[in-house]
Amino acid sequence: MWIYEKKLQYPVRVNKCDPNMAKFLIEQYGGADGELAAALRYMNQRYTVPDKVIGILNDIGTEEFAHLEMIATMVYKLTKDATAEQMKEAGLGGHYANHDKALFYHNAAGSPWTATYIQAKGDPIADLYEDIAAEEKARATYQWLINMTDDVDLIDSLSFLREREIVHSQRFREAVEILKADREQKKIF
């Protein structure tokens, strides 16, 4: 089903060890509007949408896994040289005590990822509007993360991710219009 290339979708570079920024980035790793929740939401919903839009959900869900890999790389690079004291000062003391510097699916506040973040109503249009909202919330979060760093290399990667969220939102909007047009066509049996 997938072909894995051993490279990131977009390069990830950071200028310095910054566990404070890593703590905030973890929101996009294991938060409600993060990449894991998005990928799983879309891959799950693809089974209950009409054939005309399955590909959109599958394509975007797959890309969200690539974004998850980018966020994981950012967090790793921002924390790999951090001392235990720096992790503690950044508010990651509990994370460090439980996981050392290993990534773990939780949000910036430390709450673990939960399947309750995923929505699937079974109504394709309702689900697609949920997906549009998820992409717009992720776009906003990426902008706020950009606002919180002065690392130009990190800003570059985050800007790429923010722009992809915009594209995903647009593609979901197109899918809604496809389904609305299909629903409004007269069916003759």
Side-chain angles (χ1 to χ4, degrees), residues 2 42-43 46 53-65 164 168 171:
W2 285 293
Y42 308 150
M43 296 304 279
R46 71 178 293 277
V53 297
I54 286 174
I56 293 171
L57 285 158
N58 196 61
D59 292 349
I60 295 173
T62 302
E63 185 174 347
E64 298 293 4
F65 282 122
R164 293 307 300 161
H168 295 169
R171 292 206 56 214

PDB file of all heavy atoms in Angstrom, residues 2 42-43 46 53-65 164 168 171:
ATOM      1  N   TRP A   2       1.912   1.277   0.804  1.00  0.00           N
ATOM      2  CA  TRP A   2       2.775   2.456   0.849  1.00  0.00           C
ATOM      3  C   TRP A   2       4.171   2.102   0.365  1.00  0.00           C
ATOM      4  O   TRP A   2       4.631   0.978   0.526  1.00  0.00           O
ATOM      5  CB  TRP A   2       2.895   3.009   2.277  1.00  0.00           C
ATOM      6  CG  TRP A   2       1.705   3.732   2.748  1.00  0.00           C
ATOM      7  CD1 TRP A   2       1.209   4.910   2.285  1.00  0.00           C
ATOM      8  CD2 TRP A   2       0.833   3.345   3.811  1.00  0.00           C
ATOM      9  NE1 TRP A   2       0.089   5.273   2.985  1.00  0.00           N
ATOM     10  CE2 TRP A   2      -0.163   4.325   3.937  1.00  0.00           C
ATOM     11  CE3 TRP A   2       0.806   2.270   4.669  1.00  0.00           C
ATOM     12  CZ2 TRP A   2      -1.171   4.267   4.881  1.00  0.00           C
ATOM     13  CZ3 TRP A   2      -0.204   2.205   5.615  1.00  0.00           C
ATOM     14  CH2 TRP A   2      -1.172   3.189   5.702  1.00  0.00           C
ATOM     15  N   TYR A  42      -8.692  10.470   9.502  1.00  0.00           N
ATOM     16  CA  TYR A  42      -8.944  10.376   8.063  1.00  0.00           C
ATOM     17  C   TYR A  42      -8.865   8.940   7.562  1.00  0.00           C
ATOM     18  O   TYR A  42      -9.667   8.532   6.716  1.00  0.00           O
ATOM     19  CB  TYR A  42      -7.970  11.261   7.284  1.00  0.00           C
ATOM     20  CG  TYR A  42      -7.925  12.686   7.781  1.00  0.00           C
ATOM     21  CD1 TYR A  42      -6.762  13.439   7.674  1.00  0.00           C
ATOM     22  CD2 TYR A  42      -9.027  13.285   8.382  1.00  0.00           C
ATOM     23  CE1 TYR A  42      -6.710  14.751   8.134  1.00  0.00           C
ATOM     24  CE2 TYR A  42      -8.978  14.591   8.858  1.00  0.00           C
ATOM     25  CZ  TYR A  42      -7.812  15.311   8.734  1.00  0.00           C
ATOM     26  OH  TYR A  42      -7.753  16.598   9.194  1.00  0.00           O
ATOM     27  N   MET A  43      -7.912   8.174   8.094  1.00  0.00           N
ATOM     28  CA  MET A  43      -7.803   6.781   7.651  1.00  0.00           C
ATOM     29  C   MET A  43      -9.017   5.970   8.099  1.00  0.00           C
ATOM     30  O   MET A  43      -9.430   5.040   7.413  1.00  0.00           O
ATOM     31  CB  MET A  43      -6.507   6.157   8.179  1.00  0.00           C
ATOM     32  CG  MET A  43      -5.245   6.815   7.631  1.00  0.00           C
ATOM     33  SD  MET A  43      -5.140   6.851   5.831  1.00  0.00           S
ATOM     34  CE  MET A  43      -4.567   5.201   5.520  1.00  0.00           C
ATOM     35  N   ARG A  46     -12.291   7.062   5.930  1.00  0.00           N
ATOM     36  CA  ARG A  46     -12.270   6.688   4.507  1.00  0.00           C
ATOM     37  C   ARG A  46     -13.156   5.482   4.222  1.00  0.00           C
ATOM     38  O   ARG A  46     -13.567   5.264   3.094  1.00  0.00           O
ATOM     39  CB  ARG A  46     -10.845   6.444   4.024  1.00  0.00           C
ATOM     40  CG  ARG A  46     -10.220   5.182   4.580  1.00  0.00           C
ATOM     41  CD  ARG A  46      -8.813   4.947   4.024  1.00  0.00           C
ATOM     42  NE  ARG A  46      -8.786   4.653   2.619  1.00  0.00           N
ATOM     43  CZ  ARG A  46      -8.993   3.448   2.087  1.00  0.00           C
ATOM     44  NH1 ARG A  46      -9.240   2.422   2.870  1.00  0.00           N
ATOM     45  NH2 ARG A  46      -8.947   3.281   0.789  1.00  0.00           N
ATOM     46  N   VAL A  53     -14.648  10.235  -2.958  1.00  0.00           N
ATOM     47  CA  VAL A  53     -13.748  11.024  -2.101  1.00  0.00           C
ATOM     48  C   VAL A  53     -12.839  10.172  -1.213  1.00  0.00           C
ATOM     49  O   VAL A  53     -12.080  10.725  -0.416  1.00  0.00           O
ATOM     50  CB  VAL A  53     -14.530  12.055  -1.250  1.00  0.00           C
ATOM     51  CG1 VAL A  53     -15.232  13.073  -2.147  1.00  0.00           C
ATOM     52  CG2 VAL A  53     -15.516  11.388  -0.326  1.00  0.00           C
ATOM     53  N   ILE A  54     -12.885   8.855  -1.358  1.00  0.00           N
ATOM     54  CA  ILE A  54     -12.012   7.996  -0.552  1.00  0.00           C
ATOM     55  C   ILE A  54     -10.548   8.383  -0.752  1.00  0.00           C
ATOM     56  O   ILE A  54      -9.775   8.462   0.211  1.00  0.00           O
ATOM     57  CB  ILE A  54     -12.211   6.504  -0.892  1.00  0.00           C
ATOM     58  CG1 ILE A  54     -13.524   5.997  -0.303  1.00  0.00           C
ATOM     59  CG2 ILE A  54     -11.053   5.650  -0.366  1.00  0.00           C
ATOM     60  CD1 ILE A  54     -13.860   4.572  -0.706  1.00  0.00           C
ATOM     61  N   GLY A  55     -10.172   8.620  -1.979  1.00  0.00           N
ATOM     62  CA  GLY A  55      -8.775   8.935  -2.281  1.00  0.00           C
ATOM     63  C   GLY A  55      -8.279  10.177  -1.568  1.00  0.00           C
ATOM     64  O   GLY A  55      -7.121  10.235  -1.143  1.00  0.00           O
ATOM     65  N   ILE A  56      -9.146  11.164  -1.416  1.00  0.00           N
ATOM     66  CA  ILE A  56      -8.756  12.399  -0.728  1.00  0.00           C
ATOM     67  C   ILE A  56      -8.418  12.100   0.733  1.00  0.00           C
ATOM     68  O   ILE A  56      -7.384  12.523   1.256  1.00  0.00           O
ATOM     69  CB  ILE A  56      -9.862  13.475  -0.846  1.00  0.00           C
ATOM     70  CG1 ILE A  56     -10.004  13.923  -2.297  1.00  0.00           C
ATOM     71  CG2 ILE A  56      -9.578  14.665   0.069  1.00  0.00           C
ATOM     72  CD1 ILE A  56     -11.200  14.819  -2.588  1.00  0.00           C
ATOM     73  N   LEU A  57      -9.293  11.346   1.394  1.00  0.00           N
ATOM     74  CA  LEU A  57      -9.037  10.995   2.801  1.00  0.00           C
ATOM     75  C   LEU A  57      -7.791  10.127   2.938  1.00  0.00           C
ATOM     76  O   LEU A  57      -6.985  10.326   3.847  1.00  0.00           O
ATOM     77  CB  LEU A  57     -10.257  10.290   3.401  1.00  0.00           C
ATOM     78  CG  LEU A  57     -11.423  11.224   3.707  1.00  0.00           C
ATOM     79  CD1 LEU A  57     -12.724  10.474   3.783  1.00  0.00           C
ATOM     80  CD2 LEU A  57     -11.167  11.981   4.978  1.00  0.00           C
ATOM     81  N   ASN A  58      -7.621   9.183   2.026  1.00  0.00           N
ATOM     82  CA  ASN A  58      -6.456   8.308   2.084  1.00  0.00           C
ATOM     83  C   ASN A  58      -5.166   9.089   1.852  1.00  0.00           C
ATOM     84  O   ASN A  58      -4.181   8.920   2.575  1.00  0.00           O
ATOM     85  CB  ASN A  58      -6.600   7.188   1.056  1.00  0.00           C
ATOM     86  CG  ASN A  58      -5.659   6.057   1.325  1.00  0.00           C
ATOM     87  OD1 ASN A  58      -5.720   5.437   2.371  1.00  0.00           O
ATOM     88  ND2 ASN A  58      -4.772   5.792   0.389  1.00  0.00           N
ATOM     89  N   ASP A  59      -5.168   9.964   0.852  1.00  0.00           N
ATOM     90  CA  ASP A  59      -3.971  10.758   0.544  1.00  0.00           C
ATOM     91  C   ASP A  59      -3.594  11.677   1.705  1.00  0.00           C
ATOM     92  O   ASP A  59      -2.427  11.742   2.108  1.00  0.00           O
ATOM     93  CB  ASP A  59      -4.191  11.622  -0.704  1.00  0.00           C
ATOM     94  CG  ASP A  59      -4.305  10.810  -1.980  1.00  0.00           C
ATOM     95  OD1 ASP A  59      -4.005   9.594  -1.961  1.00  0.00           O
ATOM     96  OD2 ASP A  59      -4.697  11.402  -3.007  1.00  0.00           O
ATOM     97  N   ILE A  60      -4.575  12.370   2.243  1.00  0.00           N
ATOM     98  CA  ILE A  60      -4.281  13.315   3.323  1.00  0.00           C
ATOM     99  C   ILE A  60      -3.915  12.563   4.602  1.00  0.00           C
ATOM    100  O   ILE A  60      -2.982  12.949   5.310  1.00  0.00           O
ATOM    101  CB  ILE A  60      -5.456  14.296   3.542  1.00  0.00           C
ATOM    102  CG1 ILE A  60      -5.625  15.180   2.289  1.00  0.00           C
ATOM    103  CG2 ILE A  60      -5.223  15.163   4.776  1.00  0.00           C
ATOM    104  CD1 ILE A  60      -6.853  16.071   2.303  1.00  0.00           C
ATOM    105  N   GLY A  61      -4.614  11.480   4.900  1.00  0.00           N
ATOM    106  CA  GLY A  61      -4.270  10.683   6.081  1.00  0.00           C
ATOM    107  C   GLY A  61      -2.841  10.170   6.020  1.00  0.00           C
ATOM    108  O   GLY A  61      -2.101  10.208   7.010  1.00  0.00           O
ATOM    109  N   THR A  62      -2.439   9.712   4.852  1.00  0.00           N
ATOM    110  CA  THR A  62      -1.062   9.241   4.669  1.00  0.00           C
ATOM    111  C   THR A  62      -0.074  10.385   4.861  1.00  0.00           C
ATOM    112  O   THR A  62       0.963  10.225   5.521  1.00  0.00           O
ATOM    113  CB  THR A  62      -0.906   8.634   3.262  1.00  0.00           C
ATOM    114  OG1 THR A  62      -1.837   7.562   3.117  1.00  0.00           O
ATOM    115  CG2 THR A  62       0.499   8.111   3.045  1.00  0.00           C
ATOM    116  N   GLU A  63      -0.390  11.546   4.315  1.00  0.00           N
ATOM    117  CA  GLU A  63       0.505  12.688   4.468  1.00  0.00           C
ATOM    118  C   GLU A  63       0.609  13.119   5.928  1.00  0.00           C
ATOM    119  O   GLU A  63       1.675  13.552   6.382  1.00  0.00           O
ATOM    120  CB  GLU A  63       0.046  13.860   3.601  1.00  0.00           C
ATOM    121  CG  GLU A  63       1.015  15.010   3.630  1.00  0.00           C
ATOM    122  CD  GLU A  63       0.670  16.137   2.678  1.00  0.00           C
ATOM    123  OE1 GLU A  63      -0.184  15.969   1.788  1.00  0.00           O
ATOM    124  OE2 GLU A  63       1.275  17.217   2.850  1.00  0.00           O
ATOM    125  N   GLU A  64      -0.468  12.987   6.680  1.00  0.00           N
ATOM    126  CA  GLU A  64      -0.421  13.350   8.098  1.00  0.00           C
ATOM    127  C   GLU A  64       0.584  12.474   8.854  1.00  0.00           C
ATOM    128  O   GLU A  64       1.246  12.943   9.779  1.00  0.00           O
ATOM    129  CB  GLU A  64      -1.807  13.253   8.739  1.00  0.00           C
ATOM    130  CG  GLU A  64      -2.859  14.176   8.148  1.00  0.00           C
ATOM    131  CD  GLU A  64      -2.628  15.658   8.375  1.00  0.00           C
ATOM    132  OE1 GLU A  64      -1.596  16.059   8.950  1.00  0.00           O
ATOM    133  OE2 GLU A  64      -3.498  16.431   7.959  1.00  0.00           O
ATOM    134  N   PHE A  65       0.720  11.214   8.456  1.00  0.00           N
ATOM    135  CA  PHE A  65       1.752  10.375   9.076  1.00  0.00           C
ATOM    136  C   PHE A  65       3.148  10.925   8.771  1.00  0.00           C
ATOM    137  O   PHE A  65       4.045  10.872   9.612  1.00  0.00           O
ATOM    138  CB  PHE A  65       1.637   8.919   8.615  1.00  0.00           C
ATOM    139  CG  PHE A  65       0.531   8.152   9.295  1.00  0.00           C
ATOM    140  CD1 PHE A  65      -0.478   7.563   8.555  1.00  0.00           C
ATOM    141  CD2 PHE A  65       0.499   8.005  10.675  1.00  0.00           C
ATOM    142  CE1 PHE A  65      -1.496   6.849   9.172  1.00  0.00           C
ATOM    143  CE2 PHE A  65      -0.507   7.290  11.306  1.00  0.00           C
ATOM    144  CZ  PHE A  65      -1.511   6.709  10.551  1.00  0.00           C
ATOM    145  N   ARG A 164       0.627  23.173   4.332  1.00  0.00           N
ATOM    146  CA  ARG A 164      -0.009  21.900   3.976  1.00  0.00           C
ATOM    147  C   ARG A 164      -1.379  21.771   4.633  1.00  0.00           C
ATOM    148  O   ARG A 164      -2.297  21.196   4.042  1.00  0.00           O
ATOM    149  CB  ARG A 164       0.894  20.714   4.370  1.00  0.00           C
ATOM    150  CG  ARG A 164       2.185  20.631   3.579  1.00  0.00           C
ATOM    151  CD  ARG A 164       1.990  20.644   2.074  1.00  0.00           C
ATOM    152  NE  ARG A 164       1.171  19.515   1.634  1.00  0.00           N
ATOM    153  CZ  ARG A 164       0.532  19.460   0.469  1.00  0.00           C
ATOM    154  NH1 ARG A 164       0.607  20.454  -0.394  1.00  0.00           N
ATOM    155  NH2 ARG A 164      -0.196  18.402   0.154  1.00  0.00           N
ATOM    156  N   HIS A 168      -4.844  20.961   2.738  1.00  0.00           N
ATOM    157  CA  HIS A 168      -5.755  19.887   3.171  1.00  0.00           C
ATOM    158  C   HIS A 168      -7.164  20.426   3.385  1.00  0.00           C
ATOM    159  O   HIS A 168      -8.146  19.793   2.988  1.00  0.00           O
ATOM    160  CB  HIS A 168      -5.259  19.238   4.460  1.00  0.00           C
ATOM    161  CG  HIS A 168      -3.960  18.525   4.301  1.00  0.00           C
ATOM    162  ND1 HIS A 168      -3.245  18.074   5.376  1.00  0.00           N
ATOM    163  CD2 HIS A 168      -3.233  18.196   3.211  1.00  0.00           C
ATOM    164  CE1 HIS A 168      -2.142  17.484   4.952  1.00  0.00           C
ATOM    165  NE2 HIS A 168      -2.108  17.553   3.637  1.00  0.00           N
ATOM    166  N   ARG A 171      -8.786  20.873   0.059  1.00  0.00           N
ATOM    167  CA  ARG A 171      -9.169  19.594  -0.564  1.00  0.00           C
ATOM    168  C   ARG A 171     -10.416  19.015   0.102  1.00  0.00           C
ATOM    169  O   ARG A 171     -11.282  18.455  -0.581  1.00  0.00           O
ATOM    170  CB  ARG A 171      -8.012  18.600  -0.493  1.00  0.00           C
ATOM    171  CG  ARG A 171      -6.870  19.067  -1.401  1.00  0.00           C
ATOM    172  CD  ARG A 171      -5.970  18.006  -1.907  1.00  0.00           C
ATOM    173  NE  ARG A 171      -6.634  16.942  -2.609  1.00  0.00           N
ATOM    174  CZ  ARG A 171      -6.216  15.675  -2.573  1.00  0.00           C
ATOM    175  NH1 ARG A 171      -5.159  15.343  -1.875  1.00  0.00           N
ATOM    176  NH2 ARG A 171      -6.854  14.740  -3.239  1.00  0.00           N
TER     177      ARG A 171
END
